[in-house]
Amino acid sequence: MVIINNNETDIHGYVGYHKGINRIVVAWRGTIDARNWIEDFGFKKIPYIRCRSCEVHAGFFASWESVANQTDKAVNGLLTKYPSAQIAVTGQSLGGALSTFAAIELQLKFNKVAELYNYGSPRVGNEHTAAFINLKLPTRFRVVHNRDIVPHVPFEAMGFTHVSYEVLYDEEMKSYKVCNESGEDPSCSNRFDPDYSFPDHDIYWIAMDDSVC
């Protein structure tokens, strides 16, 4: 396992190999205090050079860039060791935003990203960016717990759009609905507007095992 971190941006994650499913796993840590990073990052957009008319959240993308080289090096090293492996990317909260950027950038570089699963992720770019990511990543799911507020920032009214597909879990995280391909299904978590919750952001059940090395 390779630890990925940047102390200046407080970004932490790891890259490891999962023997059971032959996957190189790229995972990003969630934030300690979602309220703080929502206040600190702001909602500025910058051009995303990978696609026409694409824009991304400046703060989230800068966080990714602060660890991009480390991540590329770690993934390349494991692909050299396990050439038949595919890549799986995941993350929660701010780590969910990082996972989205990591997945698309690794796909463009290695063309081996099999799936993206993130949890409580904010929006990371505009509608053109979302469409580009949807096109390039065939398997991608955003898990949202009930009324979690974080998936609803930055706001749609500011030109941000989610990638699909949202998977909305109920309050007990026992049942779920896979939402439509728009990324902004009005029958899913958007229907709670404006009655969102910070406490729901702190509860995501994610099964882990010890077969990542």
Side-chain angles (χ1 to χ4, degrees), residues 10 31-43 57 60 93-94 149-150 153 198 201-202:
D10 195 30
T31 44
I32 301 301
D33 190 330
R35 290 178 188 266
N36 284 348
W37 68 253
I38 287 173
E39 293 171 356
D40 291 346
F41 270 109
F43 300 133
H57 184 282
F60 298 155
S93 190
L94 176 57
I149 189 173
V150 171
V153 296
F198 272 107
H201 185 65
D202 296 329

Side-chain angles (χ1 to χ4, degrees), residues 39-61:
E39 293 171 356
D40 291 346
F41 270 109
F43 300 133
K44 179 182 176 182
K45 295 194 294 290
I46 59 172
Y48 182 54
I49 63 172
R50 303 299 192 188
C51 50
R52 181 179 298 178
S53 300
C54 290
E55 295 179 313
V56 293
H57 184 282
F60 298 155
F61 193 68

Side-chain angles (χ1 to χ4, degrees), residues 150-164:
V150 171
H152 303 283
V153 296
F155 308 118
E156 285 186 86
M158 304 182 75
F160 290 88
T161 300
H162 265 305
V163 302
S164 58

Side-chain angles (χ1 to χ4, degrees), residues 1-111:
M1 184 188 302
V2 179
I3 303 298
I4 306 294
N5 73 285
N6 185 302
N7 290 329
E8 291 185 5
T9 56
D10 195 30
I11 300 302
H12 303 275
Y14 74 80
V15 178
Y17 177 67
H18 192 301
K19 295 179 288 187
I21 57 173
N22 194 30
R23 290 286 190 272
I24 293 167
V25 180
V26 181
W28 302 102
R29 188 191 73 178
T31 44
I32 301 301
D33 190 330
R35 290 178 188 266
N36 284 348
W37 68 253
I38 287 173
E39 293 171 356
D40 291 346
F41 270 109
F43 300 133
K44 179 182 176 182
K45 295 194 294 290
I46 59 172
Y48 182 54
I49 63 172
R50 303 299 192 188
C51 50
R52 181 179 298 178
S53 300
C54 290
E55 295 179 313
V56 293
H57 184 282
F60 298 155
F61 193 68
S63 293
W64 157 247
E65 287 192 309
S66 76
V67 290
N69 289 339
Q70 292 181 61
T71 307
D72 286 352
K73 182 178 179 181
V75 169
N76 188 60
L78 285 172
L79 281 173
T80 299
K81 187 174 182 180
Y82 305 104
S84 67
Q86 297 289 304
I87 302 168
V89 188
T90 189
Q92 193 263 342
S93 190
L94 176 57
L98 294 173
S99 73
T100 304
F101 288 129
I104 187 60
E105 292 290 303
L106 293 171
Q107 177 71 338
L108 294 174
K109 184 165 187 176
F110 299 108
N111 194 31

